[in-house]
Amino acid sequence: MQLLNDTPLAHGLAVGLGPERRPCLAVIVKGTFELPGRPGDAPALAPEQLPVLTEDEFFDGDATGSLRLERDNVPFKPRADVVLVGTAYAPGGRPVRSLDVSVRVGRLQKIVRVFGDRHWMFPTRLVVVPLISDPEPFTEMPLRYEHAFGGFDRKAHKYFNLNYVGKGFLGKKTRESVDGRPLPNLEDPRRLISSWDDEPPPAGFGFYSPHCVPRIRYAGTERGYAQPHPLFGLAADFDPAFYNGAHPDLQAPGYLRGDEEVELVGVTPDGLRRFRLPNLHPAVSLRPVASGDEAAGPQPLPAPLDTLVFLPDEGVFYQVWRAVYPLGEVNDPAALEAALLGIAEVRIRLPGDGAGPPA
């Protein structure tokens, strides 16, 4: 197979289970753009294009912590992921005790309320139920799941299965075990914690851990592993929705058009970024190996935009388009190899360079 990329964008390939759990080849195209500095400015291609990631990247290289960036080389996403990796900034750099930050892409929007450090407290011996301390002032707060609700209560030997790395989870509720315990800095303003019995889903904009509920449920049940897929070793009831790594609130049904208006509030020192996505649609085509005397022509493959990741602290964002080509009924390595050898060429172009309109 020959892969020809006639664009400045990064590219990659992946083989795995696609729609309807059928083997497929995915052609991955990744474009990195500069984050516009003024409202109305159009995003420009970044001079340095980020590569297609083949491994997950963790904050500070700590695999026990939260994900910074998730690998791009997955075969299929049934929905679009919208992710932001960054920091909440107080307006004008002046300390605040709380603020709302938000991400909006078209009609998809998520708001997170950011608090300074807080803890549970019993102000007097007569108080039976703890109160929440006033938030400490702050100017910046990392938007990581370590600061969202969750975590381990090691003394109680319990954990919060929606977010292992967070804080605020109380496995044992006694005066001694709760007094002074920290609360999360990131909360959903629709489900603010008011009682020590509250256990809200973690709030955030980042990649959601594949080891946490609800995402891990798509990996398949224990019973499903009794009949794994013969090629990929996945559970018999594996759901490709597992490959969607955005927070559940930031997964768009269908895919992104690529021209949506974007609004980022509170995640840059200047407070606001508003622009439209670049409306770029790479054209992907595949040419099978010629059969007999007949030369096979190129087949256009739809390449929907299924991943959008904002990195405002780096001044960039990236988009991932994924074209999926079914490989037929292949159930063993030899059949898979034969199916891949049946592809002569994959080509990636941009509109206007002879590729024609996007499929």
Side-chain angles (χ1 to χ4, degrees):
M1 181 199 311
Q2 186 178 22
L3 198 158
L4 303 175
N5 184 358
D6 301 327
T7 80
L9 310 179
H11 68 268
L13 298 174
V15 176
L17 291 184
E20 300 179 357
R21 301 185 71 256
R22 296 181 182 275
C24 71
L25 169 71
V27 183
I28 300 153
V29 186
K30 181 175 182 178
T32 307
F33 301 85
E34 295 179 331
L35 201 65
R38 297 178 302 178
D41 285 357
L45 273 175
E48 181 179 351
Q49 293 291 299
L50 296 174
V52 171
L53 292 179
T54 58
E55 295 182 350
D56 294 338
E57 180 182 308
F58 294 86
F59 285 104
D60 305 318
D62 181 7
T64 65
S66 59
L67 282 166
R68 180 175 181 270
L69 298 175
E70 193 163 74
R71 66 188 182 102
D72 301 306
N73 67 333
V74 300
F76 172 62
K77 290 187 178 185
R79 295 181 295 276
D81 284 334
V82 175
V83 174
L84 183 140
V85 180
T87 306
Y89 292 93
R94 295 182 293 273
V96 296
R97 295 182 185 274
S98 67
L99 78 155
D100 285 359
V101 299
S102 64
V103 174
R104 180 174 63 83
V105 178
R107 296 183 178 181
L108 184 68
Q109 183 178 29
K110 183 170 179 61
I111 302 172
V112 171
R113 186 157 298 167
V114 184
F115 293 94
D117 290 342
R118 303 169 296 165
H119 60 270
W120 290 109
M121 64 177 186
F122 293 85
T124 70
R125 292 184 178 180
L126 298 178
V127 174
V128 179
V129 178
L131 304 179
I132 298 174
S133 69
D134 290 333
E136 295 292 328
F138 69 97
T139 56
E140 299 180 10
M141 184 68 65
L143 297 170
R144 303 184 187 182
Y145 288 112
E146 282 84 352
H147 294 292
F149 183 81
F152 279 88
D153 187 334
R154 299 189 184 280
K155 291 184 179 180
H157 303 288
K158 294 181 180 180
Y159 60 89
F160 188 60
N161 64 6
L162 276 68
N163 180 23
Y164 301 149
V165 301
K167 59 183 177 179
F169 172 70
L170 303 173
K172 184 178 182 180
K173 298 182 179 70
T174 65
R175 189 184 188 96
E176 294 73 26
S177 64
V178 172
D179 192 22
R181 290 280 295 275
L183 279 90
N185 303 97
L186 311 180
E187 291 197 56
D188 186 331
R190 302 168 301 178
R191 297 192 60 178
L192 294 176
I193 294 174
S194 60
S195 163
W196 63 352
D197 291 322
D198 291 337
E199 294 187 354
F205 305 108
F207 282 103
Y208 205 84
S209 171
H211 304 295
C212 291
V213 173
R215 192 177 175 189
I216 194 172
R217 292 173 178 162
Y218 295 117
T221 63
E222 184 177 353
R223 183 175 58 183
Y225 280 99
Q227 294 179 329
H229 190 278
L231 274 175
F232 308 114
L234 300 171
D237 55 351
F238 175 85
D239 189 332
F242 177 79
Y243 293 130
N244 279 105
H247 188 285
D249 292 345
L250 285 172
Q251 294 185 20
Y255 299 107
L256 298 172
R257 295 193 316 271
D259 63 351
E260 289 88 348
E261 183 180 64
V262 171
E263 186 178 76
L264 309 178
V265 178
V267 296
T268 55
D270 55 20
L272 176 66
R273 297 295 173 94
R274 184 183 293 121
F275 58 94
R276 283 195 173 274
L277 294 179
N279 199 20
L280 182 69
H281 299 279
V284 178
S285 62
L286 180 146
R287 182 169 58 83
V289 172
S291 176
D293 295 331
E294 294 186 10
Q299 301 177 8
L301 297 178
L305 173 57
D306 68 15
T307 307
L308 171 61
V309 179
F310 298 105
L311 301 168
D313 288 342
E314 284 77 31
V316 299
F317 67 95
Y318 65 80
Q319 302 184 163
V320 177
W321 299 265
R322 199 176 318 271
V324 175
Y325 178 72
L327 295 174
E329 298 294 335
V330 294
N331 293 309
D332 60 74
L336 176 62
E337 182 180 8
L340 294 174
L341 290 174
I343 301 171
E345 177 186 281
V346 172
R347 191 157 200 163
I348 305 167
R349 296 180 177 178
L350 291 179
D353 63 1

